[in-house]
Amino acid sequence: MKELYSTTMINTGGRSGTSYAEDQSLSLKIAPPGSKLDNVTNPEQLFAAGYSACFNSALALIKRQKKIDNSSTIKVTVRLMEQATFDYVLAVDIEGHIEGLALEEAQQLLELTHTVCPYSKATMGNINVTIKAI
């Protein structure tokens, strides 16, 4: 297997702290979900941002292979769920829109993308992921 990229983030303070890149290219203030503080994020937002970008890039690869040039938008919602006391899991909803395609065709492309996207591969069988063309 050939490594294409590697990155490292470091966190101090958990959900009430800071996460920063080892190379100092990025630093983020972290707060619990629902925090009213300015200029903060949380792990769920970061996961949703990464997943949506990765999924849309994987979709672009699929569209290129199928010679489809239509633009696409991917919306990822990450939900933090409590199954039982001190037992937390994530759930993900992916909504995708491909300009000019019928919903059925877009749904097929999104489901194919789910088999290619590295984030989807990492979560498959681990968390509930729904995919819907809009």
Side-chain angles (χ1 to χ4, degrees):
M1 193 174 328
K2 176 181 167 185
E3 182 177 303
L4 299 177
Y5 178 71
S6 174
T7 188
T8 302
M9 293 291 287
I10 300 166
N11 175 274
T12 59
R15 288 183 178 268
S16 297
T18 302
S19 289
Y20 59 93
E22 190 173 48
D23 67 3
Q24 302 301 316
S25 63
L26 177 65
S27 181
L28 302 162
K29 293 179 186 174
I30 307 295
S35 174
K36 302 298 182 207
L37 299 173
D38 291 333
N39 300 316
V40 298
T41 190
N42 60 60
E44 292 73 26
Q45 286 176 319
L46 295 171
F47 188 68
Y51 203 157
S52 62
C54 187
F55 197 91
N56 210 3
S57 291
L59 177 58
L61 175 69
I62 298 295
K63 290 187 308 182
R64 246 187 337 273
Q65 287 177 339
K66 296 193 174 286
K67 299 190 182 347
I68 296 171
D69 198 21
N70 308 44
S71 64
S72 58
T73 303
I74 299 298
K75 175 181 170 183
V76 171
T77 301
V78 173
R79 293 178 282 126
L80 177 61
M81 314 290 287
E82 184 177 36
Q83 296 183 120
T85 304
F86 299 114
D87 185 10
Y88 305 100
V89 296
L90 296 176
V92 172
D93 298 318
I94 299 173
E95 292 182 346
H97 177 74
I98 304 172
E99 197 68 38
L101 290 189
L103 285 179
E104 301 80 29
E105 187 177 1
Q107 184 70 33
Q108 289 175 348
L109 290 176
L110 294 173
E111 289 174 10
L112 181 57
T113 300
H114 190 53
T115 68
V116 173
C117 173
Y119 272 65
S120 291
K121 288 179 180 181
T123 61
M124 205 164 292
N126 295 312
I127 65 174
N128 184 33
V129 177
T130 62
I131 301 169
K132 180 181 177 185
I134 54 171

